[in-house]
């Protein structure tokens, strides 16, 4: 073990956390190392994709075509818009559930410095039980019941409730602390390092070819900014997530048109506004980007509208890539979910990406599946 890695592990072990249940774990790759992953403009130095992968070749062929000024499919730099989902597309989502859902449970059920409302605690227990019984986001074959249809919305409302009143620095620190926790079901992996190496390469490759990259996710916008900061070449302005109200710490519910921000005020988190999934992703893309994307990357039905919006009636050549969670050895995949997504790809004209067949590695060779 080199000195740099040893130092990193020692520092990680020394970090203390404010919430009970949060314990550090030595990582396989640091965020700094993830940030150093780069791919040149020609795409000649990819390391983590299988060279014969069909979607990989389609992506490289597409980029070469649309960035060639002599091509009929040339796309001006200002219109090179690429949108990416987060969970299951750029980072792992099955340890055992989405990053922010697990962080919500940590806050509501394990944080001894915080007392949730009885309603929030009761609902957090229901979410935890549903994850265990049904399997979210990957349903278990032996499941005894289905995920409640309104859980996406109700979880988002309760999640924002348990973090309501936090200042922005307080919330960001909570996110950072949670990023240090173990990615359950995997070895040598922390939640903050659980990025798919091949997809980090895709982001770098598109950035090198002057695509403007947006992350469009159901995760809380502020949490997204913290999680991706310094790892991906994506500006904080280009983060689109689930939104909440913010207010001044002394505002006490007063209308923002009537309240004057004071010198002793701080901005604090408020109530839930909008869950950024499904058709809401299209709405937010139109509202915040103002242009139709030409590339879209996702992995679930929550990305379907974003996919179809990208490739429907687009004045430019456009593609949508859907990741299949079909790797049962290097990731906590689900063939049932992967098969459903492959069928959707065939139906709607999306390009399937097999994590099992197209990726040389997912998290790196030092990371393995702990649960067989």
């Amino acid at each position: 073990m080199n000195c740099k890695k040893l130092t990193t592990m020692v520092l990680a072990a020394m970090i203390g956390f404010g919430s009970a249940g949060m314990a550090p774990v030595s990582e396989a790759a640091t965020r700094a190392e993830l940030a150093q992953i780069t791919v040149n403009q020609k795409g000649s130095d990819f390391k983590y994709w299988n060279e014969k992968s069909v979607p990989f070749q389609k992506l490289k062929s597409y980029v070469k075509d649309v960035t060639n000024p002599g091509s009929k499919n040339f796309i001006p730099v200002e219109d090179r818009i690429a949108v990416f989902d987060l969970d299951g597309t750029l980072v792992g989502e099955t340890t055992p559930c989405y990053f922010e859902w697990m962080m919500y449970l940590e806050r509501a059920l394990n944080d001894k410095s915080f007392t949730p409302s009885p309603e929030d605690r009761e609902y957090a227990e229901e979410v935890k039980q549903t994850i265990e019984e049904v399997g979210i986001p990957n349903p278990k074959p032996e499941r005894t019941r289905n995920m409640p249809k309104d859980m996406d919305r109700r979880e988002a409302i309760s999640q924002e409730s348990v973090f309501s009143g936090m200042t922005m620095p307080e919330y960001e620190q909570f996110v950072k602390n949670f990023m240090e926790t173990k990615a359950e079901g995997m070895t040598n992996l922390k939640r903050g390092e659980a990025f798919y190496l091949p997809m980090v390469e895709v982001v770098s490759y598109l950035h090198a070819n002057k695509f403007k990259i947006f992350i469009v996710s159901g995760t809380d916008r502020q949490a997204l900014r913290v999680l991706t900061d310094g790892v991906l070449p994506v500006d904080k302005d280009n983060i689109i997530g689930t939104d909440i109200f913010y207010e001044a710490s002394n505002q006490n519910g007063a209308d923002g048109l009537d309240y004057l921000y004071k010198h002793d005020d701080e901005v604090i988190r408020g109530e839930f506004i909008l869950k950024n999934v499904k058709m809401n992703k299209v709405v937010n893309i139109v509202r915040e980007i103002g242009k139709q994307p030409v590339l879209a990357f996702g992995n679930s039905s929550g990305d379907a509208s974003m996919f179809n919006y990208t490739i429907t009636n687009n004045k430019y050549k456009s593609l949508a890539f859907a990741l299949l969670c079909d790797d049962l050895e290097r990731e906590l995949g689900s063939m049932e979910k992967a098969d459903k997504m492959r069928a959707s790809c065939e139906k709607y004209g999306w390009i399937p990406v097999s994590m099992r067949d197209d990726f040389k590695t997912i998290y790196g060779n030092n990371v393995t599946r702990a649960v067989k």
Side-chain angles (χ1 to χ4, degrees):
M1 179 179 293
N2 61 42
C3 292
K4 178 181 177 182
K5 181 65 68 176
L6 178 61
T7 300
T8 300
M9 294 175 64
V10 170
L11 289 174
M14 293 173 62
I15 296 175
F17 299 103
S19 298
M22 287 188 176
V25 58
S26 59
E27 70 273 26
T30 67
R31 290 172 62 82
E33 290 167 340
L34 286 166
Q36 293 171 3
I37 295 175
T38 57
V39 176
N40 61 37
Q41 191 176 30
K42 292 183 178 180
S44 61
D45 56 350
F46 276 94
K47 297 178 181 178
Y48 303 122
W49 285 79
N50 289 319
E51 288 294 329
K52 295 182 179 180
S53 159
V54 172
F56 175 66
Q57 292 300 332
K58 285 185 176 180
L59 177 63
K60 289 183 65 177
S61 177
Y62 171 86
V63 171
K64 182 178 180 180
D65 185 19
V66 301
T67 59
N68 177 8
S71 170
K72 65 178 182 180
N73 295 317
F74 177 73
I75 301 176
V77 170
E78 61 270 21
D79 291 332
R80 295 177 195 170
I81 306 295
V83 291
F84 287 79
D85 171 52
L86 180 80
D87 293 285
T89 303
L90 292 172
V91 303
E93 66 172 0
T94 56
T95 58
C97 192
Y98 313 117
F99 174 88
E100 67 163 3
W101 282 43
M102 299 310 297
M103 188 175 72
Y104 156 66
L105 296 182
E106 179 69 29
R107 173 68 167 172
L109 302 179
N110 299 327
D111 187 351
K112 292 184 178 180
S113 69
F114 171 70
T115 302
S117 69
E119 295 80 11
D120 283 330
R121 183 171 187 87
E122 181 180 357
Y123 193 67
E125 292 285 4
E126 181 179 341
V127 171
K128 180 181 179 181
Q129 183 178 3
T130 303
I131 292 172
E132 292 172 351
E133 291 183 0
V134 177
I136 303 174
N138 287 342
K140 297 179 180 179
E142 69 279 10
R143 64 187 183 277
T144 57
R145 65 189 181 99
N146 293 321
M147 173 182 169
K149 291 183 178 180
D150 62 347
M151 183 160 280
D152 266 347
R153 181 180 291 102
R154 292 184 63 196
E155 188 281 336
I157 293 172
S158 183
Q159 178 184 156
E160 302 307 357
S161 175
V162 300
F163 290 110
S164 178
M166 272 190 171
T167 65
M168 294 182 73
E170 288 171 345
Y171 181 76
E172 289 176 3
Q173 188 58 54
F174 195 96
V175 176
K176 289 178 180 178
N177 289 349
F178 192 68
M179 284 163 49
E180 293 293 323
T181 62
K182 186 181 187 301
E184 296 175 35
M186 306 297 293
T187 64
N188 301 318
L189 188 66
K190 295 192 293 187
R191 297 188 190 277
E193 277 75 38
F195 285 79
Y196 298 154
L197 302 187
M199 295 305 295
V200 175
E201 284 190 316
V202 169
V203 174
S204 175
Y205 175 53
L206 294 178
H207 183 261
N209 280 279
K210 300 182 179 179
F211 280 80
K212 193 170 186 179
I213 299 161
F214 292 82
I215 297 178
V216 184
S217 167
T219 297
D220 178 278
R221 189 190 298 251
Q222 190 180 0
L224 268 174
R225 287 173 173 165
V226 177
L227 182 60
T228 60
D229 185 42
V231 173
L232 300 175
V234 181
D235 294 335
K236 289 188 176 182
D237 293 347
N238 294 2
I239 300 293
I240 302 174
T242 288
D243 278 320
I244 62 166
F245 286 102
Y246 290 91
E247 63 179 3
S249 53
N250 296 308
Q251 191 170 342
N252 296 319
D255 193 299
L257 294 175
D258 302 322
Y259 185 80
L260 175 65
Y261 190 91
K262 299 179 177 61
H263 293 301
D264 60 344
D265 265 326
E266 291 184 271
V267 174
I268 60 174
R269 295 174 61 85
E271 297 179 350
F272 167 79
I273 298 177
L274 178 74
K275 182 68 176 178
N276 188 47
V277 295
K278 302 180 178 179
M279 182 58 197
N280 288 345
K281 288 196 174 189
V282 176
V283 172
N284 275 337
I285 287 170
V286 172
R287 178 187 294 123
E288 301 200 25
I289 302 176
K291 291 183 177 181
Q292 192 174 8
V294 295
L295 282 174
F297 300 83
N299 76 305
S300 72
S301 60
D303 303 311
S305 289
M306 181 173 74
F307 285 160
N308 285 343
Y309 175 60
T310 297
I311 63 175
T312 301
N313 297 324
N314 202 318
K315 66 179 180 180
Y316 296 117
K317 183 178 179 181
S318 56
L319 298 176
F321 292 84
L323 270 68
L324 309 182
C325 56
D326 58 357
D327 198 308
L328 308 183
E329 297 296 327
R330 303 174 300 175
E331 172 63 306
L332 301 167
S334 165
M335 289 308 300
E336 179 183 4
K337 182 181 177 183
D339 289 343
K340 287 181 179 179
M341 179 52 68
R342 188 180 295 277
S344 294
C345 289
E346 293 175 358
K347 180 178 180 180
Y348 294 109
W350 312 331
I351 299 171
V353 178
S354 169
M355 295 177 69
R356 177 191 61 202
D357 300 332
D358 297 319
F359 291 174
K360 285 183 179 178
T361 185
I362 296 178
Y363 300 111
N365 294 331
N366 291 328
V367 179
T368 59
R369 178 171 177 160
V371 179
K372 297 296 183 180

